[in-house]
Amino acid sequence: MAATKKKHFKFSSVVALANRRLSIKTAAIVLASSTFLSALLGIFRDRLLNSYYLDTYPTGIDAYTAAFTIPDFMFLILTSGALAVSFIPVFNQRLAGGNKKSAWELSSSLLNLMAIITLVASVLIMIFAEPLVRYVVGPGLDESGTILAVNMMRVIAINPFLFSISTILSSIQQALGRFVFYALAPAIYNVGILIGIVWFTGGINLFGWQVFDGGIMGVALGVVFGAILQLFVSLIGLIGLGFDYEFKISRKNQGFRSVLKLLPARSLDQGIDYVNTLVTTNLSSRMGAGALRSYQQAYNLSTMPVNLIGVAISTAFFPQLTEEVGDGQESRFRQTFRTALSTIIWIALPVAVIAFFARGYVVSFIKNGGDPLIASILTTLIISIFAQSIFQIATRGFYAKQDTKTPFRVSIFAIGLTILLAIIFSLLGLGPEGLGYAQSIGSMLEVSILLSLLHKRSERKLLDHDFWRGVGKTALAATITGCVAYSMTKFIPLLATDDSIFATLPKFILITGVSLIAYIIASYFLGIDQVRPIIERIKKTLFKNLS
């Protein structure tokens, strides 16, 4: 009994330690680190999948990719980031006003409502999977690919329900400044998929009975298993937060009503964004076996730095932005926003530049020996990396002020243009690369409009002269970095014999390392503010080692 209590105490202590409120800097580090871990697991996941199926069974891997789109679409439009940015400002207002009961009542109501809605959506996906595949996401698949995609979609259809519960629980933790379990959840999800790839594809035996024969369908089972693991981690993150759950929907709760008013615009914004994914999936399925998967892989590679940089930093800054708006501190809001935006630009720009010159190495991480088509598509998405990273903080500038309508209106225009360009480029025979060009053009236009509107609404005090001067210095430092990265790729070329990660990774690390050192040195001599903490840390480390 004593040993059991001791173990329980240790577990509770670990959870309590992990659930401490974090500063913005620490939160950003935790989020970026966990996102990096999730990205590494995602790379390993895609590497295994591509090695098993991209060359040997392109129809199967295209079917698996198509099966994801509708469940992901329903999750994004119903929950995802829409709930977080709508829920957190209202939740924080209740807590700041000392009305904790209302805050927990709001949380329970949203949890119950979203669970019902997404469960219904999951059932509908299962019922209508076949027409959704045949006419929406995979019209170019052959008959065997269509049947496989339908079966996998029906398995993955439960994910919107599981993800919606996880997202609400994680949003509560995020609103309270607790980021550890919130940050770990995506990595755990990838672990579940990896289990599916490694073990479920070989079949499942229970007590001597063969309950599943295996094959690529095992990956779909791994996806659901990963979603269950993610939900479990999100539940652990609630320990010690005092969440008072009630099995009811409090329609009279003013906070609940406020969130429901904010939610539709952001949900539609999410949906409009994902309509572009549905269109590119539809178009790429008509471009030959493997084209759908190749575009999706290149797009996933382009979103990894966006999640590492734009999402992580914006998520860490968002609670402070909402608090400053709630307290009426407009000048502090502008300063915090500029700091976040400048930091994202300073990090994202060299990453995009290095990704452009080292794209062959990047692709080799997810496909043994690389893939010319994926690398070519990635080239067209480089501008999107930079634009989408900035987009994360630009939209949160509006959401902090509880304005979800403006980003939605801008998205309608930008996504509409992106889809139109994608169709035109496809008709012109540009292939999957044309889809990438359309994405980059639309993303850059969207973020430019959003920043212009934010600047105008702040009486043109948001993006001041000092901000633009800093951007100019960053662009110059990035140009120098590009020259170094180009020289390094010529000095250390990617060879046909580099057919393993052990051959390509050291080269990539050397190219990236030298390029980033050049960027830091250039930033230091140009007097860019963001480099100062790094230089100070280096000085302290050197001084400590020399003392």
Side-chain angles (χ1 to χ4, degrees), residues 252-268:
K252 294 182 179 180
N253 184 285
Q254 291 299 318
F256 179 60
R257 291 185 176 185
S258 297
V259 172
L260 291 185
K261 289 179 181 179
L262 293 170
L263 196 58
R266 177 54 181 158
S267 294
L268 288 172

Side-chain angles (χ1 to χ4, degrees), residues 289-311:
L292 193 163
R293 178 67 177 180
S294 295
Y295 179 80
Q296 185 257 5
Q297 288 290 273
Y299 184 77
N300 282 355
L301 286 173
S302 74
T303 59
M304 283 183 185
V306 174
N307 293 329
L308 278 167
I309 302 164
V311 174

